[in-house]
């Protein structure tokens, strides 16, 4: 039986890879789209039996994150795993398959749910992709990222074993919280199949925007105020000295909250600006992670570059020309710089992550989960 | 004392000095249990380090000698997570009590693991901040223990658990290396998995916690209902209205009776259930939501609603709730505390089933719980002087956990698994699930010396690749373990 037949036996939606399926220039031998947990497990098991590398994928919007993969025998897409399994409004929980797109989720929420999953990645992708890449959107300030909202997860391990952690209730400390481990794992630990999240009630939101001279002061003023901001974003276009600060707050008393924000920032109530939750344009996209009070130093070090993102949470996107130069310039501010996205040649040649003191521990965990290093090989740091 | 342990004691004495190493059997007995007093074991050796380097040296010495070790903070845990090993070392962090930094601009504090939870808040309060996780033992429990257990508390409904408030941990790995795990690290969230690992992945030696702005306004009300079902309806209505209170706590008639006897909290006469609801946040929002919560409680059938006018009255309302566990001594010689969780919407049904269990078995069960997030603390009462009573109580207690699992809940919401609930883990997780969790443990602690015997009912032998056997496992060959 050929390898393709072996996969076809366990997963009906299956075909040989084509040029259009390329991941980092590699045409996968097989593209499998399992439609159930059983199929997903069987696909992973079949790949293991044949010693094949596997690259998990959703809609493929973030396949250019991290370093280029070194092998891609089987591209597993979760696009057929796109169901909303259960929304329990009274429990404020949501159980979904990993291939559900944010676009589809937002459409469902808009159908009168009265609550939402407080994750809004800048690019429409899948739930599984948001977990694997730890993207969150402006709401990170108040609600954190996937790791803070996940309460249960099902993952198929490299050998096809189905494994769950967490559960369906928000409060639960039984066993290790593996949902957090998979957050940011970039497809190197297993195939995420479904996930359960804590939801938040939809709230009235006020938004105030101001163009300020001293963004550091403005951000500190809002952070230490009694307004509880949901998002505190800044935008400084490339080559500009002008910075816009936008605050969003959930409130039952919009007029009062808006007045307070205007008092803190100046500015005025505003619609969502066109740059809201959009990544800066550029060949290289990098994320700067720093302490919020370091903002003035970060802005100085990144002079001339576009800066955008959650100043309140200390996560800003920029588009540098030279990653290492930016890293060097930001060292005194104690900031980390992680390359998010770039062309393949750049990702092959630069240090994507910067210093990683926990790498030895990550390698050891990786060796347990994927001893043959067949999952997204090369994607993450050396040896993971 | 075994020779290996004696040699280790000498080595520890060289590292720490004699006053920080305890070998006297009488003094060792002080550490024989944590907050779960039904499990006891006198540690082989107790050490009281003051620095991360000292802990690293002790862990390295243990690793070389193959001696197990257990970390302990204040020893308030309720699942036996800090139960010592008679053949091992207990590493007590009580002398690591410095608050190293209060960084208001960045809304964080850095503390040593032995720092008391409430002391973080005391240090932050003058700046307008506090440390949000508030386990009921917060006056004595340590932040290191909070990290190990991912502690909760009454206010985690709105503010989340310890895991949400930890920004970085310096840890000593089971290799004896000192490493910092941070939320800003790229890649897998090792910090996230470390928090709540019950001391089985390493020992934390420095913790950076998030500080939360003290709310502008706090409002607390007590609502009394004829029945617990009405209280449950009020809880559902509040959540359905999109209000997320800081806390929603419920007590049933039996626990009210006990609290009344113990602290005379003056809850309304004849109440079948009371609900304590606390709202906090910006003043105008709190005022708006408070009116709504009051209305929803009345609609659900509350016959009396008391509003705390000030901090003193608020403390009085909380007094009954906070004394509930200890108050059980007034109505029962002994009791078992459970910590099961159910989906909030199953509250009515599960409470009915617990009531039926209680009636059928003749074992009294008092219910005190974090109603907002479905975290039940049924107190199963028994008289330990009556032969067989404890066994009957344990049976009811186990049946309650089964009910929680049956309804899609959890065996523990905040107390942890420890030694107490390890045997229940297979009811909630498959062998594959437990095996996968232990793969993380094997990555961190292949020798299995770091707090062994906790969380997992059956230890996994590390180094085994599933399906591939290359001769006997080294631990089996050495006669230290069996495969079965």
């Amino acid at each position: 039986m050929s390898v393709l037949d072996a996969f076809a036996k366990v997963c009906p939606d299956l075909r040989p890879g084509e040029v259009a399926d390329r991941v980092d220039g590699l045409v996968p031998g097989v593209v499998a789209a399992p439609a159930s947990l059983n199929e997903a497990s069987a696909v992973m098991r079949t790949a293991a039996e044949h010693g094949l590398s596997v690259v998990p994928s959703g809609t493929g919007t973030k396949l250019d994150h991290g370093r280029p993969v070194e092998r891609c025998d089987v591209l597993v897409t979760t696009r057929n795993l796109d169901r909303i399994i259960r929304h329990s409004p009274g429990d404020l929980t949501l159980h979904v398959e990993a291939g559900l797109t944010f676009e589809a989720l937002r459409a469902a929420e808009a159908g009168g749910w009265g609550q939402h999953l407080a994750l809004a990645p800048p690019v429409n992708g899948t739930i599984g992709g948001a977990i694997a890449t730890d993207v969150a959107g402006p709401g990170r300030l108040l609600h954190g990222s996937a790791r803070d909202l996940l309460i249960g997860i099902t993952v198929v391990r490299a050998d096809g074993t189905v494994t769950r952690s967490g559960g369906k209730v928000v409060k639960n400390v039984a066993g290790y919280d593996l949902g957090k481990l998979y957050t940011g794992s970039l497809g190197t630990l297993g195939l995420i199949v479904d996930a359960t999240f804590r939801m938040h009630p939809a709230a009235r939101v006020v938004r105030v925007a101001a163009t300020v001279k001293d963004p550091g002061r403005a951000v500190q003023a809002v952070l230490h105020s009694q307004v509880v901001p949901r998002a505190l974003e800044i935008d400084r276009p490339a080559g500009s000295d002008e910075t816009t600060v936008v605050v969003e707050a959930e409130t039952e008393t919009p007029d009062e909250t808006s007045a307070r924000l205007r008092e803190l920032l100046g500015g005025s109530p505003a619609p969502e600006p066109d740059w809201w939750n959009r990544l800066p344009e550029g060949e290289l996209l990098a994320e700067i992670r720093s302490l919020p009070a370091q903002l003035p130093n970060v802005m100085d070090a990144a002079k001339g570059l576009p800066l955008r993102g959650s100043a309140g949470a200390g996560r800003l996107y920029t588009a540098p020309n030279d990653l290492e130069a930016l890293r060097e310039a930001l060292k005194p501010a104690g900031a980390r710089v992680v390359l998010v996205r770039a062309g393949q040649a750049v990702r092959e040649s630069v240090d994507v992550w910067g210093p990683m003191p926990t790498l030895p521990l990550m390698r050891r965990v990786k060796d347990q989960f994927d001893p043959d290093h067949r999952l997204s090989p090369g994607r993450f740091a050396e040896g993971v | 004392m075994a020779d290996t342990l004696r040699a280790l004691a000498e080595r520890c004495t060289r590292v720490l000095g004699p006053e920080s190493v305890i070998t006297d059997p009488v003094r060792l007995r002080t550490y024989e249990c944590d907050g779960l007093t039904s499990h006891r074991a006198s540690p082989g050796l107790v050490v009281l380090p003051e620095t991360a380097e000292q802990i690293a040296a002790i862990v390295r010495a243990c690793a070389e000698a193959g001696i197990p070790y257990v970390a302990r903070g204040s020893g308030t845990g309720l699942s036996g997570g800090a139960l010592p090993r008679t053949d091992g070392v207990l590493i007590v962090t009580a002398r690591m009590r410095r608050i190293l930094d209060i960084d208001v601009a960045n809304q964080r504090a850095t503390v040593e693991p032995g720092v008391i939870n409430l002391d973080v808040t005391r240090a932050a309060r003058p700046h307008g901040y506090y440390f949000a996780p508030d386990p009921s033992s917060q006056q004595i429990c340590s932040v290191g223990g909070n990290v190990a257990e991912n502690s909760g508390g009454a206010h985690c409904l709105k503010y989340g658990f310890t895991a949400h408030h930890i920004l970085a941990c310096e840890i000593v790995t089971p290799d004896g290396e000192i490493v910092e795990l941070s939320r800003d690290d790229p890649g897998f969230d090792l910090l996230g998995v470390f928090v709540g690992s019950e001391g089985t992945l390493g020992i934390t030696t420095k913790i950076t916690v998030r500080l939360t702005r003290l709310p502008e306004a706090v409002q607390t009300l007590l609502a009394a209902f004829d029945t617990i079902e009405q209280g449950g309806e009020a809880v559902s209505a509040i959540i359905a209205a999109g209000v997320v209170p800081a806390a929603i706590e419920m007590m049933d008639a039996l626990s009210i009776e006990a609290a009344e006897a113990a602290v005379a909290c003056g809850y309304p006469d004849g109440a079948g259930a009371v609900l304590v609801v606390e709202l906090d946040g910006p003043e105008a929002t709190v005022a708006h939501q408070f009116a709504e919560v009051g209305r929803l409680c009345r609609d659900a059938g509350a016959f009396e609603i008391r509003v705390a006018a000030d901090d003193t009255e608020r403390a009085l309302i909380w007094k009954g709730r906070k004394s509930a566990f200890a108050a059980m001594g007034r109505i029962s010689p002994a009791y078992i505390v459970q910590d099961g969780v159910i989906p909030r919407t199953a509250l009515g049904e599960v409470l009915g089933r617990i009531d039926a269990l209680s009636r059928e078995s003749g074992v009294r069960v008092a219910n005190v719980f974090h109603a907002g997030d479905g975290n039940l603390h049924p107190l199963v009462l028994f008289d330990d002087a009556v032969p067989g009573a404890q066994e009957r109580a344990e049976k009811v207690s186990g049946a309650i956990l089964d009910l929680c699992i049956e309804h899609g809940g959890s065996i523990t919401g905040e107390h942890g698994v420890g030694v107490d609930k390890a045997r229940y883990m297979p009811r909630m997780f498959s062998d594959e699930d437990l095996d996968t969790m232990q793969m993380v443990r094997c990555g961190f602690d292949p020798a299995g010396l770091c707090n062994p015997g906790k969380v997992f009912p059956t230890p996994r032998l590390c180094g085994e690749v599933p399906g591939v056997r290359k001769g006997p496992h080294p631990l089996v060959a050495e006669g230290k373990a069996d495969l079965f």
Side-chain angles (χ1 to χ4, degrees):
Chain A
M1 189 165 54
S2 76
V3 171
L4 208 59
D5 290 341
F7 281 103
K9 219 172 115 187
V10 298
C11 179
D13 191 342
L14 181 112
R15 58 178 174 78
E18 297 162 6
V19 173
D21 301 316
R22 271 179 312 180
V23 179
D24 297 325
L26 303 171
V27 178
V30 178
V31 177
S36 69
L37 179 58
N38 279 342
E39 284 182 23
S41 164
V43 166
M44 295 296 275
R45 198 169 50 242
T46 306
E49 282 162 4
H50 290 84
L52 300 176
S53 62
V54 174
V55 175
S57 154
T59 45
T61 55
K62 292 181 274 290
L63 280 173
D64 56 357
H65 283 221
R67 298 196 322 175
V69 291
E70 289 154 4
R71 289 162 63 204
C72 180
D73 300 323
V74 185
L75 181 69
V76 180
T77 159
T78 57
R79 68 180 151 78
N80 289 333
L81 292 161
D82 60 353
R83 290 178 309 141
I84 292 173
I85 300 170
R86 188 180 163 86
H87 172 223
S88 311
D91 297 316
L92 283 170
T93 59
L94 175 71
H95 186 193
V96 296
E97 288 184 327
L100 180 75
T101 62
F102 276 88
E103 205 172 56
L105 173 61
R106 293 285 108 93
E109 288 168 351
W113 282 14
Q115 45 188 251
H116 67 116
L117 174 61
L119 280 179
V123 179
N124 173 48
T126 62
I127 296 285
I131 297 169
T133 58
D134 193 25
V135 290
R140 180 188 283 274
L141 178 63
L142 185 61
H143 296 301
S145 74
R147 56 98 80 187
D148 300 291
L149 298 164
L150 257 181
I151 57 174
I153 193 164
T154 306
V155 166
V156 178
R157 270 174 16 203
D159 62 1
T161 305
V162 173
T163 162
R164 294 183 173 88
S165 86
K168 294 179 195 150
V169 287
V170 174
K171 202 170 182 188
N172 175 15
V173 294
Y176 294 167
D177 189 351
L178 298 187
K180 294 195 170 62
L181 186 75
Y182 301 126
T183 305
S185 63
L186 292 168
T188 61
L189 293 180
L191 174 70
I192 300 168
V193 175
D194 64 62
T196 307
F197 292 95
R198 172 186 188 167
M199 300 287 276
H200 284 88
R204 296 176 72 172
V205 173
V206 294
R207 188 182 303 104
V208 167
T211 302
V212 298
K213 286 208 174 66
D214 186 350
R217 191 210 63 81
V219 165
Q220 285 289 314
V222 175
L223 280 181
H224 302 299
S225 76
Q226 282 293 350
V227 176
V228 182
R230 173 171 86 175
L232 174 44
E233 299 273 305
I234 63 160
D235 177 55
R236 185 185 72 183
S240 168
D241 284 332
E242 218 158 68
T243 304
T244 309
V245 178
V246 178
V247 188
E248 275 187 358
E250 297 178 355
T251 177
E252 306 266 357
T253 50
D255 292 345
E256 186 260 359
T257 307
S258 176
R260 278 188 177 201
L261 284 173
R262 277 175 284 147
E263 198 176 304
L264 288 164
L265 280 180
S268 54
E272 205 173 86
D274 57 1
W275 52 265
W276 190 256
N277 203 12
R278 289 180 61 170
L279 302 169
E281 308 269 330
E283 286 290 300
L284 271 67
L285 179 70
E287 190 183 47
I288 302 171
R289 304 176 178 187
S290 70
L291 294 173
Q294 287 291 338
L295 184 63
N297 295 331
V298 169
M299 298 192 79
D300 266 357
K303 209 163 179 57
L305 298 177
L307 270 181
R308 185 182 293 167
S310 184
R315 299 278 180 118
L316 296 175
Y317 288 109
T318 186
N321 303 314
D322 181 338
L323 189 70
E324 279 310 320
L326 179 65
R327 221 169 242 156
E328 203 51 43
L330 281 164
K331 231 180 214 166
R336 296 175 203 221
V337 179
V338 175
L339 181 69
V340 177
R341 223 173 55 190
Q344 191 176 343
V346 174
R347 289 185 290 130
E348 263 161 10
S349 61
V350 301
D351 175 3
V352 171
W353 319 104
M356 268 199 292
T358 58
L359 191 54
L361 275 175
M362 283 197 230
R363 281 188 187 129
R364 283 157 54 171
V365 172
K366 166 75 173 180
D367 286 344
Q368 292 288 327
F369 277 75
D370 178 22
D372 305 322
H373 292 210
R374 288 184 298 101
L375 299 185
S376 302
R379 168 78 76 219
F380 190 41
E382 192 70 40
V384 181
Chain B
M1 188 186 275
D3 287 348
T4 46
L5 214 48
R6 186 170 299 122
L8 187 78
E10 283 166 17
R11 197 166 157 182
C12 289
T13 306
R14 283 198 297 276
V15 175
L16 304 173
E19 69 288 350
S20 302
V21 179
I22 300 172
T23 55
D24 168 27
V26 176
R27 287 181 67 201
L28 288 176
R29 213 170 300 140
T30 323
Y31 295 95
E32 68 182 359
C33 66
D34 59 13
L36 182 75
T37 53
S38 53
H39 290 68
R40 289 171 194 268
S42 219
L45 179 69
V46 170
V47 293
L48 296 151
E50 289 176 41
T51 66
E53 287 70 23
Q54 288 177 345
I55 291 182
I58 296 160
V59 166
R60 278 197 300 274
C62 287
E64 282 167 28
I67 291 174
Y69 52 91
V70 177
R72 172 183 161 120
S74 300
T76 57
L78 292 173
S79 56
L83 181 73
R85 296 271 300 208
T86 53
D87 59 347
V89 183
L90 188 70
I91 302 175
V92 179
T93 58
R95 289 189 182 165
M96 299 174 75
R97 281 211 176 159
R98 285 180 304 159
I99 293 176
L100 301 170
D101 184 31
I102 299 279
D103 179 358
V104 178
N106 290 303
Q107 303 178 307
R108 63 192 61 205
T110 302
V111 304
E112 290 185 333
V115 168
I116 302 303
N117 172 299
L118 197 56
D119 286 346
V120 182
T121 289
R122 288 197 181 110
R125 197 180 284 136
H127 306 282
Y129 281 85
Y130 74 112
F131 180 46
D134 64 336
S136 54
S137 54
Q138 71 176 148
Q139 298 197 27
I140 37 169
C141 66
S142 69
V143 179
N146 297 163
V147 167
E149 299 295 318
N150 188 14
S151 304
H155 292 81
C156 57
L157 174 63
K158 178 171 175 182
Y159 291 100
F161 320 102
T162 299
H164 297 108
H165 299 271
I166 302 299
L167 302 171
C169 280
E170 177 189 86
I171 69 165
V172 170
T173 68
D175 287 341
E177 301 284 329
I178 299 173
V179 181
E180 192 190 56
L181 311 178
S182 161
R183 269 182 91 113
D184 286 339
D185 288 336
F188 331 148
D189 186 358
L190 292 182
L191 176 67
V193 82
F194 182 84
V195 177
S197 61
E198 305 196 24
T200 60
L201 298 180
I203 300 173
T204 182
T205 48
K206 190 161 77 180
I207 304 146
T208 302
V209 305
R210 183 199 305 284
L211 296 177
T212 304
R213 190 81 172 89
L214 279 168
E216 187 174 40
V218 182
Q219 288 269 31
T220 310
L221 69 74
L222 177 90
F225 299 88
D226 288 327
T227 67
I228 204 150
E229 288 74 18
Q230 289 175 333
E233 272 170 40
V235 174
S236 296
I238 291 166
I239 300 297
V243 178
V244 181
I248 311 183
E249 304 285 303
M250 187 140 71
M251 293 168 72
D252 71 356
L254 196 53
S255 46
I256 297 168
E257 179 194 328
E260 207 59 65
V263 297
C265 48
Y267 285 178
D269 280 340
V274 293
L275 206 57
V276 175
V277 184
E278 191 156 285
L279 293 160
D280 68 9
E283 197 142 8
T285 298
V286 169
H288 179 91
Q289 292 184 334
F290 199 67
E292 193 166 7
V293 166
R295 181 178 59 75
L296 294 169
C297 284
R298 270 188 297 276
D299 288 352
F303 66 80
E304 186 173 336
I305 290 180
R306 288 183 193 168
V307 178
D310 53 30
D311 284 349
T312 313
E313 289 190 23
R314 182 173 2 271
L316 198 64
I317 287 180
W318 275 105
K319 195 173 172 189
R321 167 63 186 91
K322 289 194 170 173
S323 71
F325 285 17
M328 288 303 144
R330 298 296 179 122
I331 59 167
S332 176
Y335 62 92
I336 298 169
V337 183
Q338 274 302 2
D339 180 37
V341 186
I342 50 168
R344 185 168 37 230
T345 45
L347 209 56
E349 193 193 329
V350 171
L351 290 174
R353 297 272 297 273
I354 292 177
D355 188 42
L357 266 176
S358 171
R359 273 186 283 111
E360 283 156 22
S361 61
V363 174
R364 290 191 300 165
V365 180
N367 286 297
V368 180
F369 46 94
H370 306 303
D373 39 29
N375 187 190
L376 307 177
H377 288 314
L379 300 146
V380 183
L381 312 182
F382 66 97
D383 183 348
D384 48 357
V386 175
Q390 179 162 354
E391 287 70 24
R392 280 196 297 280
E394 276 172 9
K395 216 171 143 192
V396 169
S397 186
I400 292 173
L401 288 188
D402 282 337
L403 269 178
C404 293
I405 296 168
E406 194 185 303
H407 285 83
S410 169
I411 57 172
T412 174
E414 56 185 2
H415 295 172
V417 177
V419 288
D420 187 40
K421 289 182 274 292
R423 65 202 152 118
Y424 295 114
M425 286 288 273
R427 300 195 196 176
M428 192 169 158
F429 295 108
S430 71
D431 288 351
E432 289 77 18
D433 300 340
L434 294 173
D435 199 49
T436 307
M437 291 177 194
Q438 294 203 67
M439 286 161 67
V440 177
R441 179 170 166 81
C442 289
F444 275 75
D445 180 27
L449 294 174
C450 186
N451 207 11
K454 312 292 166 66
V455 186
F456 303 105
T458 321
R460 181 180 208 267
L461 297 179
C462 303
E464 243 186 312
V465 177
V468 182
R469 288 274 152 79
K470 294 175 189 159
H473 189 280
L475 289 175
V476 175
E478 286 171 34
K480 286 181 180 166
D482 287 314
L483 271 178
F484 53 85

